[in-house]
Amino acid sequence: MRISSLQINQQGVNSMLDLSRQVADTQKQIASGTRITNPSDDPVGAARMIKIQQELEVRDQYRRNIDGAEAALAQEETVLQQVLDVVQRIRELALQASNGIQTVDDRRSIATEIDARFSELVSLVNARGPDGEYLFSGFQSNVQPFVVDGDNVEFQGDEGQRRVQVDNGQYVALSDSGRGIFMDVASAGPVFNVRPHPDNDPFAGATIAKGAVVDRDALGEFFPDDLVVEFRPLSEDPLGRPNFTVRRASDNRVVDGLLNVPLDGNATIEAAGMSFKVMGQPQPGDRFFVETTDKQDMLTTIKQMTNGLVNMDPSVDPEAFQQMLDDSLTGLDNTMDSILQVQAQIGARFNTIESTRNLHT
């Protein structure tokens, strides 16, 4: 095989050009500080570099999530501590009111301060985060969680718990539902709540108001059943008056002989140891529910204690007055236990966040 002089010269030129290209690539790597400037420099290394870059971007997002979760938990912890401080102050006032040397005016002054603290608590449990969302509404973060209407307290949120991802397959809760913290608090004994049936006549505007437990033993025997107050046709009353019947929710039996009882204005109804009022102009077919429970929300406990301090006279019925205070103190203690449990959970989440942040670093 013959090799011409031209081929020999061309090979030399090509070698020089290849060396020049290698020198240029090396200079480019030195100038940029990177070994792979083009995917063709190292296809395997370039693929690995892209994968590492993607992982770094994901970890940056995790770190941002961690920062946001930490801020949200810090705010929740601060609000819970403020609630705890207020509840502790109300407990001190309740103990002060139980002192036998307190006069009527003294008790009313204590009730006035408790009422002011109550308003402070309503503001705290309806606190918003820096993003304008309510802290204790669960998933319904744009809905005010607690609404107080007279003596009735309604929770409008849900039991959802918002979470954020801080690592692959790892999530941290950054909120807690107010229902679990402030509503589902164990009471000293069975209590009850009232509500109208949603299909009641909307134009009549009849409402039901919660009274108090008047016979603890009777309610204890009745619990955990519920009551249904149903307004019957006018024809079932001899004089054609609005009348109601009170039945057990479980088996529809009439309770305490309350069958076709005429409604006397806003008179108090007593059944199974509970008292309540149906107000307005209830229409035949309207129904109201009286539901027993062994839990009572924090705000209702404080509201009932305030009403008791104003309206009850320990010189007339000292046992009932002391029972009211004892039940209130038990409810306050259980509320503080509930808050402390959530604070402990928040502390555990802070530990998780810190260890995960160190892992990403």
Side-chain angles (χ1 to χ4, degrees), residues 75 128-135 142 162:
Q75 182 173 17
R128 296 173 182 256
D131 53 3
E133 296 183 338
Y134 291 99
L135 296 181
N142 294 321
R162 284 169 281 167

Side-chain angles (χ1 to χ4, degrees), residues 135 256 281 296:
L135 296 181
D256 296 343
Q281 302 295 326
Q296 181 166 275

Side-chain angles (χ1 to χ4, degrees), residues 74-84 124-125 127 135-136:
Q75 182 173 17
E76 180 182 353
E77 186 178 43
T78 298
V79 173
L80 287 177
Q81 185 59 50
Q82 291 174 327
V83 172
L84 193 64
L124 287 172
V125 297
L135 296 181
F136 303 112

